Amino acid sequence: MSDKEQMAILRLREASEMSLSQYKKPLLITSSGGKDSSVCVELARRAGIPFEVLHNHTTADAPETVYFVRREFARLDAMGVPCKVEYPRYKGERTSMWALIPQKLMPPTRVVRYCCSVLKERGGQGRFLATGVRWSESIRRRDSRGIFEKSATDPAKRIILSSDKDDKRRLFEHCTAQATRVCNPIIDWVDSDVWDFLLSEKIPVNPLYAEGFSRVGCVGCPMAGKRRYRDFARWPAYEKLYIRAFDKMLEIRRQRGKLGGSWRSDTTGEDVFHWWMEDGVLPGQLSFDEYRAPIQTEKEDEWEETTA
Ligand code: SF4
């Protein structure tokens, strides 16, 4: 067993102890269906701790991810691990990405990511969570995430431990506030650590990685930049769903007299889609095969927070 595996297992055992003593509930591992979640679940199993697994069904995940999570949950269930799929709700009703867009009157964007809080970051409030967040995924994660974290509405009261010997550790362990706490056991793992572990231990992973996807998450996620071109080439039905949702959004804006700026009375859902994709296709223009050539840039590696 590598040093990093041992350290991750140690962190999970500590988190489990705190979860059982302070929350009276087992550690809850959040799983996105991505590779980092698969590592966390397997490490928790090897740590010999009691744990549960939670997956948020975003409604915009690729079908392969949905089926993979289903298979994994059946496998874990057979081992006695409680697993739960959380379905999104908004204003008391079941919702989806496609219902949310007309309700919010705008597409989700990099700056206004309303969909994450409704579709992806649900469940687990007031619990001790474990996630597959890693520093190497982005500069922002490097700067803002820790091995252990305690949330608080007041940023000054948040506790982030960025080393296993952090001075704030006692404060974190003894703080009795019933805030959500998080352990990120593989935060210091790089991609090669993740893949070495998954491949050498023959752990099942989302089949999309075998197709060349380096990340899995919502199809068309605005944080994915130009990777979205490849998403829509691979799952064209999702493009249609977004266009239909944008059409409904425009209709509601029309009814409420909220058209303006570049959205006029003749703007279509397809026009909004091109604006959203930043593909340079202007309203009324036709385009051919625009989603066939994924271009990767440095900046796209900033895609974060949402996928694993
Ligand atoms: S992962 Fe992206 S598309 Fe999915 S809920 Fe979060 S921001 Fe929205």
Side-chain angles (χ1 to χ4, degrees):
M1 193 189 291
S2 74
D3 288 352
K4 281 188 174 172
E5 281 168 53
Q6 282 182 32
M7 185 49 81
I9 285 178
L10 213 60
R11 292 168 181 161
L12 283 165
R13 286 188 180 139
E14 287 172 6
S16 169
E17 262 177 45
M18 285 186 255
S19 182
L20 292 170
S21 65
Q22 296 180 17
Y23 294 75
K24 313 288 177 221
K25 288 197 174 145
L27 193 63
L28 182 62
I29 300 184
T30 56
S31 167
S32 62
K35 61 186 186 310
D36 302 324
S37 314
S38 295
V39 171
C40 283
V41 168
E42 180 58 23
L43 289 173
R45 211 182 60 75
R46 290 176 186 212
I49 56 171
F51 67 98
E52 298 171 2
V53 186
L54 172 75
H55 171 74
N56 283 303
H57 178 77
T58 67
T59 70
D61 274 318
E64 287 79 359
T65 299
V66 176
Y67 296 136
F68 173 70
V69 169
R70 217 175 274 171
R71 282 196 303 278
E72 274 302 276
F73 276 19
R75 186 175 74 90
L76 292 167
D77 203 44
M79 292 179 198
V81 177
C83 297
K84 184 176 178 208
V85 176
E86 186 88 29
Y87 292 91
R89 300 187 78 81
Y90 183 61
K91 296 188 175 171
E93 304 280 331
R94 273 283 286 275
T95 190
S96 67
M97 177 68 93
W98 333 113
L100 207 52
I101 289 169
Q103 279 177 294
K104 294 282 188 179
L105 294 177
M106 64 177 289
T109 64
R110 275 173 179 266
V111 185
V112 187
R113 250 183 325 135
Y114 58 77
C115 46
C116 248
S117 58
V118 179
L119 306 176
K120 192 140 181 132
E121 293 159 2
R122 295 176 51 81
Q125 281 78 17
R127 292 282 301 263
F128 206 129
L129 310 177
T131 85
V133 161
R134 291 186 295 120
W135 281 323
S136 67
E137 288 172 303
S138 74
I139 294 164
R140 193 154 133 211
R141 283 192 176 185
R142 170 75 254 185
D143 293 344
S144 65
R145 305 302 299 265
I147 299 164
F148 288 102
E149 304 166 352
K150 184 181 81 64
S151 63
T153 332
D154 177 358
K157 292 191 177 152
R158 276 183 210 148
I159 304 175
I160 310 270
L161 306 189
S162 43
S163 98
D164 291 290
K165 295 195 173 95
D166 199 299
D167 294 344
K168 298 189 286 292
R169 195 176 181 92
R170 279 180 66 80
L171 185 64
F172 181 86
E173 285 171 357
H174 298 290
C175 172
T176 50
Q178 282 299 297
T180 302
R181 287 176 207 221
V182 179
C183 169
N184 300 310
I186 59 165
I187 197 148
D188 47 356
W189 289 34
V190 293
D191 274 9
S192 57
D193 296 320
V194 169
W195 283 115
D196 284 352
F197 178 74
L198 291 171
L199 296 175
S200 66
E201 304 303 314
K202 299 187 173 53
I203 311 299
V205 282
N206 189 317
L208 290 174
Y209 293 115
E211 284 190 35
F213 285 84
S214 56
R215 307 237 192 182
V216 299
C218 296
V219 174
C221 173
M223 303 303 284
K226 299 273 189 291
R227 288 194 180 116
R228 293 186 294 168
Y229 293 0
R230 180 176 172 175
D231 283 2
F232 289 121
R234 175 69 177 75
W235 297 284
Y238 283 67
E239 178 181 330
K240 291 195 176 75
L241 286 165
Y242 277 107
I243 291 174
R244 205 180 306 154
F246 295 157
D247 271 322
K248 283 189 194 150
M249 170 196 84
L250 290 168
E251 185 51 39
I252 296 175
R253 278 183 167 264
R254 252 176 231 119
Q255 287 166 5
R256 297 191 191 166
K258 288 197 166 182
L259 287 174
S262 49
W263 293 350
R264 305 177 315 242
S265 56
D266 59 349
T267 302
T268 65
E270 204 155 332
D271 295 332
V272 174
F273 182 79
H274 288 302
W275 166 83
W276 185 60
M277 291 293 288
E278 300 172 89
D279 59 14
V281 178
L282 298 172
Q285 278 187 338
L286 288 177
S287 61
F288 299 98
D289 292 336
E290 68 261 56
Y291 305 130
R292 298 285 176 252
I295 307 156
Q296 196 165 335
T297 66
E298 276 292 297
K299 215 172 152 205
E300 283 158 39
D301 288 334
E302 287 300 294
W303 181 25
E304 57 172 320
E305 302 298 328
T306 54
T307 52

